[in-house]
Amino acid sequence: MTKRLLVVGAHAADFVWRAAGAIALATAQGAQATVLALSYGERGESGELWKEPGQTVERVKQIRHEQAERAAQILGAQFVCFDLGDYPLEIDRAALERLAAFIRDVGPDIIITHTPHDPFNPDHPVTHDAVMRARLLASGAGVASAFETVKPPVVYCFEPHQPELCGFTPNVFLDITPVYEQKIMAMQQIGSQQYLQHYYTELAERRGNHARRISGDATVRYAEAFQRITPAVVRWLPSHDEGEVSR
């Protein structure tokens, strides 16, 4: 069966910085990857665009959509945006039900999203909470339901900008060395946040160093860090050599 990956970000470009490597690896192995942005980040994530004279919200949204779509195409993923608005991002019942329906339609094996805490970004925790609630609704909260349900997806949090202040404790380091150039190309598409490109390039190198020390594998040059928050259900304890843990 084809694996399905769903990455849910608060803003249009969140997936590029934090999970582009994971997406590219998944699609390279034949998985289907979908990127969902709950907003375009037109208010709080598009500072470069607002420097242009006569700029408008609709134009910013259009540019952000085009940038994110190009980045997703480089990674082999589909990009979708709910356009719910940002700063603040608010999730009402209709938006929550829309998200749950989207999860049912995609039927992901894995969901990647934000951490539950971020003292510097008001939209990231809102997204995490919405994803977790929608996941439960889409999977029937673990019991038989009157609604169509999906198998409960495994959930990972991608690395926030300041992990030590967000309660982020990485327990998975993903070797993205084979697709590192794709991540660089994807990041280059987000001209509205050029200042983040250098930061996340350095982070991939630093996490690569951590992954080498943990695994002893000298071939790992670049990595992305994740925190798995749904427990693994296994029939044996996997070693470093086993790249996928069965559920």
Side-chain angles (χ1 to χ4, degrees):
M1 294 180 62
T2 301
K3 291 282 188 178
R4 294 182 176 88
L5 171 66
L6 174 61
V7 181
V8 184
H11 313 110
D14 288 338
F15 75 97
V16 178
W17 319 116
R18 299 170 174 88
I23 296 168
L25 280 174
T27 58
Q29 296 170 18
Q32 295 179 359
T34 303
V35 173
L36 172 63
L38 298 187
S39 80
Y40 283 112
E42 66 273 9
R43 288 162 54 89
E45 304 275 312
S46 306
E48 294 298 317
L49 297 179
W50 284 108
K51 294 178 182 179
E52 300 177 11
Q55 189 61 273
T56 66
V57 169
E58 290 308 314
R59 176 59 179 157
V60 170
K61 289 181 181 181
Q62 179 184 349
I63 294 172
R64 292 278 286 180
H65 185 97
E66 292 169 354
Q67 290 178 350
E69 194 165 54
R70 288 197 303 269
Q73 288 175 351
I74 288 171
L75 304 174
Q78 177 189 12
F79 174 75
V80 178
C81 184
F82 276 6
D83 192 13
L84 299 178
D86 69 316
Y87 287 79
L89 170 66
E90 297 180 335
I91 306 296
D92 59 13
R93 177 166 182 156
L96 183 62
E97 291 181 348
R98 182 182 178 190
L99 179 56
F102 191 84
I103 292 174
R104 291 188 191 99
D105 288 343
V106 174
D109 301 284
I110 295 171
I111 296 176
I112 306 176
T113 192
H114 295 279
T115 53
H117 306 290
D118 191 332
F120 295 102
N121 194 300
D123 296 346
H124 292 174
V126 171
T127 299
H128 174 92
D129 291 347
V131 168
M132 297 305 291
R133 292 182 68 192
R135 172 186 177 273
L136 289 176
L137 292 171
S139 60
V143 298
S145 172
F147 304 99
E148 178 186 356
T149 60
V150 296
K151 186 175 181 179
V154 171
V155 180
Y156 291 86
C157 291
F158 44 50
E159 184 164 11
H161 195 72
Q162 298 200 32
E164 68 279 6
L165 299 177
C166 298
F168 178 80
T169 303
N171 52 25
V172 175
F173 289 86
L174 181 65
D175 177 12
I176 65 168
T177 307
V179 296
Y180 178 68
E181 292 303 321
Q182 280 179 266
K183 175 162 185 166
I184 294 296
M185 291 172 59
M187 290 194 297
Q188 290 172 344
Q189 305 308 309
I190 313 299
S192 52
Q193 291 177 287
Q194 293 181 9
Y195 58 93
L196 290 178
Q197 294 179 20
H198 179 68
Y199 179 90
Y200 282 98
T201 298
E202 285 192 332
L203 182 59
E205 295 175 353
R206 186 160 65 253
R207 288 309 192 185
N209 176 276
H210 297 164
R212 286 195 302 276
R213 291 174 62 86
I214 292 168
S215 67
D217 185 348
T219 66
V220 180
R221 306 307 303 171
Y222 307 101
E224 289 175 342
F226 298 90
Q227 183 175 357
R228 177 170 175 155
I229 60 174
T230 49
V233 179
V234 300
R235 299 188 187 281
W236 65 89
L237 294 179
S239 69
H240 283 311
D241 297 328
E242 295 170 302
E244 181 178 359
V245 179
S246 62
R247 290 191 275 148

